[in-house]
Amino acid sequence: MNKLKGIAASGGIGIGKALVLGKEELTAPKTKISHEDISKEIYRLEEALIETRKEISNLQKKILHDLGFDHAKVFEAHLLVLEDRVLIEDIIQQIKTKKVNVEYAFSQSIKKYIDTLLKLEDEYLRERVIDIEDVSRRVLRKLLKKETINLSGISEKVIIVAHDLSPSQTASLPKENILGFVTDVGGRTSHTTIIARSLGIPAVVGLEVATINIKSGERLIVDGSEGMVFVNPAEKIIKEYQKRLTKITKDIKTIHVSKLKATTQDKREVIVSANIELPEELSLAHEYGAEGVGLYRTEYIFLGRRELPTEEEQFKAYLNVARKMKPYSVIIRTIDIGGDKFLSHPQVPVEMSPFLGWRAIRFCLARPDVFKTQLRAILRASVEGNVKVMFPMISGVGELREAKKILEECKKELKHENVYFDEKISIGSMIEVPSAALTADILAKESDFFSIGTNDLIQYSLAVDRANEKVAYLYEPGHPAVLRLIKSVIDVAHQNNIWVGMCGEMSGEPLFAFLTLGFELDEFSMPPPRVPRIKELIKNVKFEDAKAIAEKAVKLATAKEVEKYIQDELKKILQDDFDRILLV
Ligand code: PEP
Ligand code: MG
């Protein structure tokens, strides 16, 4: 048995067989062919192209059915590559003139094709390299008679082991068959982790060597709460974990899913809402009793596709969420492109430090065409009356003013076109950059609400890349610097009579939910499966206790002291309920 320690990314236990999605090395050997073999090799090329086309069309149909048009569209560009006459002619010419085997001719032509594209000024064409690489791997697998790993076609229950998964890959996995995620890279708040947590799938990330140490078919236990992975565990350990899994399943049932408000025992009422990325999470949000959407990460509509979504397409998506969430409110965040949301699909140039680079509101202000299309769609959906708009990565009031100016332009245009929208739509600033936290008094005067994005606020204030497993030990939500920033943002917001929420992962973690309840946070937004537990916690405590404990916690010296202190105090308050509410 082998025991691997990684980062506890998404709680729970998964027991099952591994499916390793390693980085595939597909090399085409070079062999000389005779003149007579030329037509045979060309025939093999045609056959491989036809089969690949079929494979992609089937995949596209399945994704269209399961996840909708946006995700299915990704494959349009793949199909175009297979029909590119210039490319196909080049391969045939190589087979004919150089008398080489089709695999070799194919990989040489593809290489030439990619090199040419990479030299072009046109960003769109450069971006097609990813599609070409993807499709060429599919064709090469056919020629080399290697099996294709079809993620959406996984038909038995497995634990996915991968170097990394892009957010759009994660989104296309058949959730019902995924017992867990194990990855070499990533951190507690990298976006793949966030999706795993949203879907309630146990995950351990940042293992560095998982894809080397684990083979497909090996038995695994993923302990997403402790960050442990057992490879080929002994029967005794499997039994022990199976027992824990049964207990967890039973404990989860004792957590009451409530549609009622989250009210503490001394009658402080707060809002517990959901973060959503994919359309299917909307029903999860309802199921788990979320009181609205506190963060709609709209960038997922933009990911993994060639063309930008149109205003109409976005409008339909936003309207759908707004209607389904009524009477609760929906906070639509404008696109937060950049950071780790382009791991496998760069639509912006590769940057040295993507988290500090051309991301979120910076991207939108530089591309008013993209921004305006989205804002118009949001405004049109606001006719439902429950839509709020929020800007990510605001680093100072200048950006907020610019964003609001563009929003005003969109309002004017729509009015001119006689299109209805909510003229009083609330505008929120995300507080996730330390400079915004420190100038919260200025931002509060020009915002209708704040939402604290702790995932980023932690990484920027502690200088710790949120997706880097090597520095994950420093990524501490309980660090006094983080707590002081959060407390002061909440205080300043209230002094300026605006409400303040938190949509970073921290608000769904019971210890920190209790702490921030004590800081007087108004709204807690989290992955849907977290909602029932946080509501249950809030219902079982007193606001006055949380306040007194938070006041002491914020004065402690280290994150560890903070966590231990809150844990000890909560144990005293919850007694027998502590394990049930906190430890699943
Ligand atoms: C955050 O930074 O806390 C946040 C909610 O935004 P995202 O995780 O999408 O960056
Ligand atoms: Mg963020």
Side-chain angles (χ1 to χ4, degrees), residues 191 194 295 297 333 336 341 359 430 432 453-456 466 503-504:
H191 283 94
I194 288 176
L295 169 64
R297 289 186 167 97
R333 176 176 76 180
D336 181 8
K341 281 175 210 153
R359 191 189 157 187
M430 269 191 89
E432 50 183 349
T454 51
N455 303 341
D456 279 314
R466 65 193 262 190
C503 57

Side-chain angles (χ1 to χ4, degrees), residues 102-294:
V102 58
E103 293 87 346
Y104 186 74
F106 178 80
S107 52
Q108 290 302 301
S109 298
I110 287 286
K111 192 169 171 307
K112 228 173 18 185
Y113 198 93
I114 289 176
D115 286 348
T116 317
L117 288 182
L118 284 176
K119 284 193 201 114
L120 294 178
E121 287 284 305
D122 187 324
E123 204 175 298
Y124 171 73
L125 288 175
R126 269 190 281 125
E127 285 161 9
R128 286 191 63 204
V129 167
I130 286 170
D131 298 317
I132 296 166
E133 283 174 341
D134 196 352
V135 170
S136 69
R137 260 195 305 273
R138 285 181 190 275
V139 178
L140 258 185
R141 275 191 221 112
K142 295 262 175 289
L143 291 170
L144 295 166
K145 304 230 172 304
K146 292 205 174 187
E147 247 180 74
T148 306
I149 306 160
N150 178 358
L151 293 189
S152 66
I154 293 170
S155 58
E156 56 171 347
K157 294 205 183 296
V158 288
I159 292 170
I160 298 286
V161 181
H163 179 69
D164 186 24
L165 286 167
S166 70
S168 56
Q169 264 180 317
T170 318
S172 72
L173 286 166
K175 318 305 176 294
E176 64 287 359
N177 284 330
I178 309 301
L179 298 168
F181 282 116
V182 172
T183 61
D184 289 339
V185 301
R188 269 191 70 72
T189 59
S190 53
H191 283 94
T192 304
T193 302
I194 288 176
I195 294 202
R197 211 172 295 155
S198 284
L199 298 168
I201 297 174
V204 178
V205 303
L207 282 152
E208 299 190 3
V209 289
T211 49
I212 296 171
N213 285 342
I214 302 171
K215 291 187 186 51
S216 281
E218 282 187 317
R219 196 117 189 240
L220 296 187
I221 298 175
V222 180
D223 181 343
S225 313
E226 294 296 323
M228 302 292 292
V229 177
F230 298 86
V231 188
N232 288 328
E235 266 321 302
K236 198 174 125 228
I237 299 187
I238 295 180
K239 281 213 180 101
E240 201 182 289
Y241 267 93
Q242 253 152 1
K243 230 161 91 201
R244 276 179 59 186
L245 187 57
T246 317
K247 183 174 178 318
I248 289 177
T249 318
K250 227 166 77 198
D251 281 353
I252 285 176
K253 289 201 184 115
T254 70
I255 304 261
H256 187 60
V257 174
S258 167
K259 304 272 174 208
L260 300 176
K261 290 221 169 294
T263 312
T264 62
Q265 297 194 335
D266 48 355
K267 303 277 174 274
R268 176 170 172 89
E269 204 176 275
V270 293
I271 292 172
V272 181
S273 54
N275 293 348
I276 63 164
E277 292 83 29
L278 311 169
E280 66 239 50
E281 285 168 313
L282 200 57
S283 49
L284 283 182
H286 271 299
E287 219 175 277
Y288 287 116
E291 301 159 75
V293 170

Side-chain angles (χ1 to χ4, degrees), residues 32 93-100 112:
K32 277 279 180 195
Q93 275 312 311
Q94 286 211 55
I95 297 175
K96 282 185 179 164
T97 56
K98 295 190 179 150
K99 298 216 175 53
V100 287
K112 228 173 18 185

Side-chain angles (χ1 to χ4, degrees), residues 424-555:
K424 292 204 172 68
I425 186 169
S426 281
I427 301 168
S429 296
M430 269 191 89
I431 306 294
E432 50 183 349
V433 179
S435 58
L438 293 167
T439 52
D441 56 327
I442 303 171
L443 289 167
K445 299 201 168 61
E446 302 185 29
S447 310
D448 297 313
F449 67 92
F450 283 161
S451 186
I452 307 176
T454 51
N455 303 341
D456 279 314
L457 188 62
I458 296 168
Q459 82 161 342
Y460 295 132
S461 52
L462 303 182
V464 179
D465 181 340
R466 65 193 262 190
N468 184 337
E469 63 283 357
K470 296 233 169 30
V471 289
Y473 70 100
L474 289 171
Y475 189 93
E476 294 181 311
H479 192 294
V482 176
L483 301 187
R484 287 178 196 190
L485 283 176
I486 293 174
K487 183 172 180 345
S488 99
V489 169
I490 299 173
D491 289 345
V492 167
H494 290 164
Q495 282 153 19
N496 285 278
N497 302 316
I498 64 168
W499 66 268
V500 54
M502 180 183 284
C503 57
E505 296 297 298
M506 215 171 148
S507 70
E509 292 178 15
L511 292 186
F512 295 117
F514 180 70
L515 177 73
T516 47
L517 172 75
F519 286 165
E520 303 190 26
L521 187 70
D522 302 298
E523 182 232 28
F524 300 67
S525 192
M526 61 201 66
R530 296 253 147 191
V531 170
R533 186 180 314 279
I534 299 300
K535 273 191 162 179
E536 185 109 328
L537 171 73
I538 289 166
K539 284 178 181 165
N540 278 281
V541 297
K542 284 199 189 109
F543 172 56
E544 283 309 318
D545 287 342
K547 234 166 106 169
I549 291 164
E551 208 171 294
K552 281 192 187 154
V554 78
K555 293 189 185 122

